Amino acid sequence: MASVNTNVVDEETPLLSSPVESHKERQASPLPKLQIAIILLLQLCEPVTSQSIYPYINQLVSELDITGGDERKVGYYAGLIESLFFATEALTVLQWSRLSDFIGRKPVMLVGLIGSSLSMLCFGLSKSFWGLVISRCLCGLLNGNIGVMKSVMGELTDSSNRAEGFAMIPVVWAVGATLGPLLGGSLSNPHKRFPTVFTSQFWQDYPYFLPCLASSSFVFVTIAITAVFFKETVPKRKRVTSVCSETTLNKSVDADAPLPLRKILVWPVIISVANYVTLAFLEIMLCALLPLFLAMPVEIGGLGFSPPTIGYLWGGYGAATGIFNVLFFAKLLHRFGAKRVFFFGMTIFAPVFVLMPIMSFCARAWGVGQLVWSLVLFELFLMVMMDMSYGSIFMYVTSSAPNKRSLGATNGLSQMTVSVARAIGPAMSTSLFSYSVQHNVLGGYGVYFLMIILSLLALIVATFLPRNVWDHEDETQK
C-alpha cells in the first residue's frame, strides 16, 4: 500500500510549524538587537503621539466652546476626536500592510512616521473643532505602521525566542503610554505653568502646541534613525520557471508570492483576530472613559482631577505596565501558556469597570480622600494585569499567518478590524457616560453596566483559542 504523506503544506498551514523537539528542549536563538530596537522605537511613536492628548482633550473641548458651556456634553466631542484616528486608519491600514508585502516594510513605515509627525503639528495649531478633526484624520490615513511593525517582529524572531520578542511590544507601548500623557499633562498651557519661560503671546493663543511639538520632534528623530539603520526584512521576490505540460511553454511564476486576501481568511486567522478585536475594543473604551471619569466634576459622576494629575496617573500606569511585562510576561507565558495568560487578562475588565461607580459613590459621600485614592491606584494595578493579554494575542495573530509573504496582510487585516473597533469604542464609551449622566440612567452609572456585560461576553470568544499559539502540536489541543 502506498504511503501517505502527512507533511502536506498548503495555504492553510499555519506559519509557525513547531519542530519535532519541544520548545523547552530547544535553545533560544539570539535576537537581532539593533533591528528589534529600531522596531520598538517605531512602536513607541504611536502611544506617544496618540495618548499625549488624553490629559487635556476634555479641557480643550471645553475651551473651544463646542458644548455651549454644558460640561455634560464634553464626552460626546472628546470621544469623537479620539475615535477619528482609528476610523480613518481602518480605511487604509490593510492596504498599507499588503503594500509592505510587495515593496518592503521600510518605505511604508517611513511614510507612516511622517504622517504622524505632521498631523501632531496640525493638531497643536488647530483653533477649531474641524481643525482637530482634519488633523486626526490625516494621522489615521497615513499611518499603516502598527500592522507592519508586528509583521517585522514576526520576521525577526522564531518560535524559540518569539515570547521574549513580543513581550517587548506591551512594554514599549507602556513606555509610550507613560511619556505621552506626561508630555500632554506637563507641557499643556506652558504660559501658565512656566510663565517666566513662555512669555510670547503665541503660547497663549496655542496652549496645547508644546506637547504636540515635543511628540512630533520625537517622531522626527525616529524617522532619521529608521532611514539610516533599519534593514529591510522582506526578501526580494524570486521568480522560477515552470513548464506547462499541455503547451510546452515556459511560464514564470512567483516562488513565494503573497496569497490573495480570500485565502488568508482561514480559521486560525479568524479566531485570533476576533480575540484581538474584543481585547482592543474593551481597552480603548476604558482608555477613553477613565480620563473622562477622572476629569469630570464629582457632582456629575467624576473625580474632578486636573490634567497634570491625570497625566501623572496615566504615566505611572504605563511605567508599571512596562516594568511588569519586562519582569514577568515571558516567564508567565512559558509557565501557564498563551491562552491562560490571555484569558486571565481578559477577566480583569469586569472588575475594572465595577470600580468606577464605586469610586464615584465614595467621592460623593466622603470626598476625594484616601479611600478614593486607594481605589484609583487599585484600578490602575488591575489594568497592569490586563495588559498581559496583548503580548499573548500578538503571538496568536502572527503565528496564524498562512505563509511569511502574507504576514503583512494578516497583520493588516487584524489591524483594520481592530481600528474599526477602536474607532467605535471611544465615542461609544464617552457618549454613554454623558448620556447616563444627562438622563440619570441607573443613577448616572448606566455606562458601567453595559461595559461589564461586554467584558463577560468577550470571555466566551476567548474560549475558542487553542491552548498555545498556532502550530501542529496545538491543533490537537483545541
Side-chain angles (χ1 to χ4, degrees), residues 35-348:
Q35 296 303 296
I36 285 185
I38 295 173
I39 287 302
L40 295 178
L41 186 62
L42 281 158
Q43 178 76 30
L44 187 60
C45 290
E46 181 165 346
V48 166
T49 54
S50 66
Q51 299 203 23
S52 64
I53 72 171
Y54 284 156
Y56 62 79
I57 184 61
N58 299 295
Q59 184 175 340
L60 174 58
V61 170
S62 297
E63 292 175 358
L64 290 177
D65 199 28
I66 301 169
T67 64
D70 188 351
E71 290 190 335
R72 297 175 300 176
K73 297 180 180 179
V74 168
Y76 294 120
Y77 295 95
L80 176 60
I81 292 171
E82 292 165 357
S83 295
L84 283 171
F85 168 81
F86 299 107
T88 51
E89 183 184 60
L91 298 175
T92 59
V93 65
L94 175 58
Q95 286 70 30
W96 285 119
S97 296
R98 294 192 72 189
L99 181 63
S100 74
D101 283 335
F102 289 88
I103 69 171
R105 315 296 187 203
K106 186 172 181 176
V108 174
M109 291 190 298
L110 287 174
V111 170
L113 288 171
I114 294 171
S116 296
S117 182
L118 294 178
S119 69
M120 285 306 297
L121 294 177
C122 293
F123 192 88
L125 295 173
S126 298
K127 295 287 288 182
S128 67
F129 174 71
W130 286 108
L132 300 176
V133 166
I134 293 172
S135 63
R136 294 303 282 176
C137 289
L138 175 66
C139 185
L141 288 171
L142 294 177
N143 190 359
N145 280 1
I146 189 67
V148 177
M149 287 184 289
K150 291 169 188 171
S151 300
V152 174
M153 183 63 76
E155 291 162 339
L156 293 175
T157 59
D158 57 39
S159 58
S160 70
N161 57 18
R162 186 158 281 115
E164 286 72 18
F166 275 88
M168 297 303 297
I169 293 180
V171 173
V172 171
W173 183 273
V175 173
T178 303
L179 294 177
L182 285 176
L183 289 174
S186 302
L187 300 182
S188 59
N189 289 294
H191 65 288
K192 294 180 180 178
R193 295 178 58 79
F194 314 103
T196 59
V197 178
F198 298 93
T199 58
S200 171
Q201 181 64 34
F202 174 85
W203 302 110
Q204 298 184 38
D205 295 337
Y206 301 96
Y208 303 104
F209 179 72
L210 186 59
C212 294
L213 177 62
S215 58
S216 180
S217 299
F218 178 81
V219 177
F220 269 120
V221 173
T222 305
I223 291 172
I225 293 174
T226 303
V228 175
F229 296 107
F230 181 74
K231 297 179 180 179
E232 182 59 66
T233 58
V234 176
K236 293 182 179 179
R237 296 169 64 187
K238 299 177 182 179
R239 302 188 71 86
V240 298
T241 301
S242 61
V243 179
C244 179
S245 59
E246 296 181 0
T247 62
T248 65
L249 296 177
N250 289 338
K251 182 180 179 181
S252 181
V253 297
D254 278 325
D256 55 351
L259 294 175
L261 185 59
R262 66 181 182 277
K263 292 189 176 182
I264 295 175
L265 297 176
V266 294
W267 172 253
V269 173
I270 292 172
I271 196 61
S272 298
V273 170
N275 277 277
Y276 184 19
V277 169
T278 58
L279 169 61
F281 186 54
L282 290 170
E283 191 260 351
I284 198 64
M285 286 194 293
L286 176 61
C287 286
L289 183 60
L290 186 56
L292 179 64
F293 167 77
L294 296 175
M296 289 297 97
V298 173
E299 55 270 19
I300 65 170
L303 297 184
F305 289 171
S306 66
T309 301
I310 297 172
Y312 297 143
L313 286 173
W314 213 249
Y317 150 66
T321 298
I323 294 171
F324 182 87
N325 275 276
V326 166
L327 297 178
F328 301 112
F329 174 77
K331 295 178 181 178
L332 291 171
L333 193 76
H334 291 309
R335 174 67 178 83
F336 297 104
K339 182 175 182 177
R340 289 181 179 178
V341 172
F342 176 77
F343 195 87
F344 173 77
M346 295 298 290
T347 63
I348 298 296

Side-chain angles (χ1 to χ4, degrees), residues 327-382:
L327 297 178
F328 301 112
F329 174 77
K331 295 178 181 178
L332 291 171
L333 193 76
H334 291 309
R335 174 67 178 83
F336 297 104
K339 182 175 182 177
R340 289 181 179 178
V341 172
F342 176 77
F343 195 87
F344 173 77
M346 295 298 290
T347 63
I348 298 296
F349 279 106
V352 162
F353 287 119
V354 167
L355 273 175
M356 291 191 194
I358 295 176
M359 286 188 283
S360 175
F361 175 81
C362 293
R364 287 177 172 179
W366 303 293
V368 182
Q370 291 184 353
L371 175 60
V372 171
W373 273 102
S374 298
L375 292 174
V376 169
L377 295 178
F378 183 57
E379 172 100 338
L380 297 176
F381 169 76
L382 290 179

